[in-house]
Amino acid sequence: MADRAGPDVVRQLLAMLDDEPRWIDVRGMLLGGHAQVTGGGEQVARARDGSGWVVKVLHGAVSVIGVVGRPSREVLAEVVRDVTELTPIVVQTVDASWVAGCLASHDTSSPVWRAERVIAHRLGPAARGAALEGREGRGDVRLLTAADSLAHLPPGLRHELTHARSFAPVAALFEAAMPVSFCYPVWRTESLWDVSIDTLDGYRGRGFAMHAVRYLIEHMRREGREPVWCALESNTASLRLAAKLGFERVDAFVVFSRGAWVILAGGFEG
């Protein structure tokens, strides 16, 4: 069994990984206080085969694995053995082939792991100074409170947002006094936050998500954090909305998945 790393290793990994969009998931996991870290080796930064770490978070509605470097096949196999099909694996592009080989050699389950490219965005210079333009006339946008009912939401989204508002600010657009569009930070680092949005069926296509995002951008900016928009390359709706909000592509990484999952695969309809 692989040894679980202690707080010293977490601190070393945080010092090693730059606070930039391609590492936002892993750094957010390490900073969140719920990460399990396994692996080892002195050459993580050099991506030497068999030397790296696996970061795993199973907490509330969040189930995700992040890979740093190239951990051994045995370590990776052990970490993913009992996760559900709803758990993605976040990997840097340079290490994707290594991880694919590890998963293929140990996992004979169905469905199999498949890789998809994720595009990371940051706000362009013009958008940074005009994040809230055009919000007028779009209902009431504010942060969710514990008193706001989520009983009208589908079970999966209700579970996700109930968990989210327990640890992060959740911006919501209200229509007829009912929250129908949401935005919250999945991960937060020292200077960045990862945008997650969703809009209820029947309210999509009306620009509601855009205004929830803009509200939270301003809120998080007061904490000194700027947004990162991550979207699967195949998610054209998410990419279009990112461009409409003034986000520009800055980097990319890879995610392996076996089934439908929330953080990057869905919920990006405005």
Side-chain angles (χ1 to χ4, degrees):
M1 177 178 291
D3 294 330
R4 185 173 298 179
D8 287 344
V9 171
V10 171
R11 285 191 290 270
Q12 291 169 14
L13 286 175
L14 285 169
M16 178 191 307
L17 307 178
D18 294 332
D19 190 9
E20 58 187 31
R22 69 190 180 97
W23 287 115
I24 191 168
D25 295 79
V26 176
R27 285 185 58 82
M29 294 163 68
L30 292 169
L31 289 165
H34 302 286
Q36 303 171 10
V37 183
T38 53
E42 298 295 327
Q43 306 294 332
V44 174
R46 301 180 189 177
R48 178 174 295 176
D49 293 358
S51 181
W53 301 90
V54 183
V55 184
K56 179 179 181 180
V57 171
L58 300 176
H59 177 65
V62 178
S63 178
V64 63
I65 293 169
V67 175
V68 181
R70 298 180 181 178
S72 71
R73 296 175 187 270
E74 292 73 23
V75 165
L76 188 56
E78 180 180 325
V79 173
V80 305
R81 181 175 296 122
D82 298 323
V83 299
T84 71
E85 293 176 7
L86 303 181
T87 304
I89 304 175
V90 179
V91 181
Q92 297 304 301
T93 303
V94 69
D95 302 314
S97 294
W98 169 262
V99 171
C102 292
L103 294 174
S105 65
H106 282 276
D107 193 356
T108 59
S109 62
S110 179
V112 298
W113 293 96
R114 61 189 180 92
E116 294 188 73
R117 191 165 178 254
V118 177
I119 308 299
H121 306 69
R122 294 194 67 169
L123 279 178
R128 291 190 198 117
L132 290 181
E133 283 185 6
R135 201 185 75 189
E136 298 79 4
R138 287 294 185 177
D140 175 28
V141 187
R142 60 173 174 82
L143 297 183
L144 279 180
T145 70
D148 291 316
S149 174
L150 302 178
H152 61 293
L153 303 183
L157 182 60
R158 182 167 64 246
H159 175 56
E160 176 189 347
L161 291 175
T162 299
H163 175 63
R165 71 176 173 182
S166 73
F167 72 88
V170 180
L173 185 141
F174 289 72
E175 181 83 345
M178 183 175 68
V180 299
S181 189
F182 309 89
C183 177
Y184 72 92
V186 179
W187 307 115
R188 284 174 286 185
T189 69
E190 294 86 346
S191 67
L192 303 172
W193 63 280
D194 188 24
V195 179
S196 176
I197 66 173
D198 211 324
T199 300
L200 293 182
D201 289 340
Y203 296 90
R204 294 176 175 175
R206 298 164 62 181
F208 288 173
M210 177 166 51
H211 299 293
V213 172
R214 285 172 168 164
Y215 185 95
L216 199 59
I217 286 173
E218 184 175 82
H219 176 84
M220 297 297 289
R221 187 168 286 161
R222 290 194 288 270
E223 298 182 359
R225 294 184 173 95
E226 291 294 323
V228 173
W229 188 288
C230 295
L232 293 173
E233 194 169 33
S234 60
N235 192 338
T236 55
S238 177
L239 297 175
R240 284 197 302 268
L241 184 53
K244 189 173 183 178
L245 285 161
F247 284 86
E248 299 177 356
R249 302 183 182 205
V250 294
D251 214 333
F253 52 92
V254 174
V255 65
F256 289 84
S257 63
R258 293 183 294 174
W261 50 287
V262 172
I263 294 176
L264 293 174
F268 287 103
E269 295 189 51

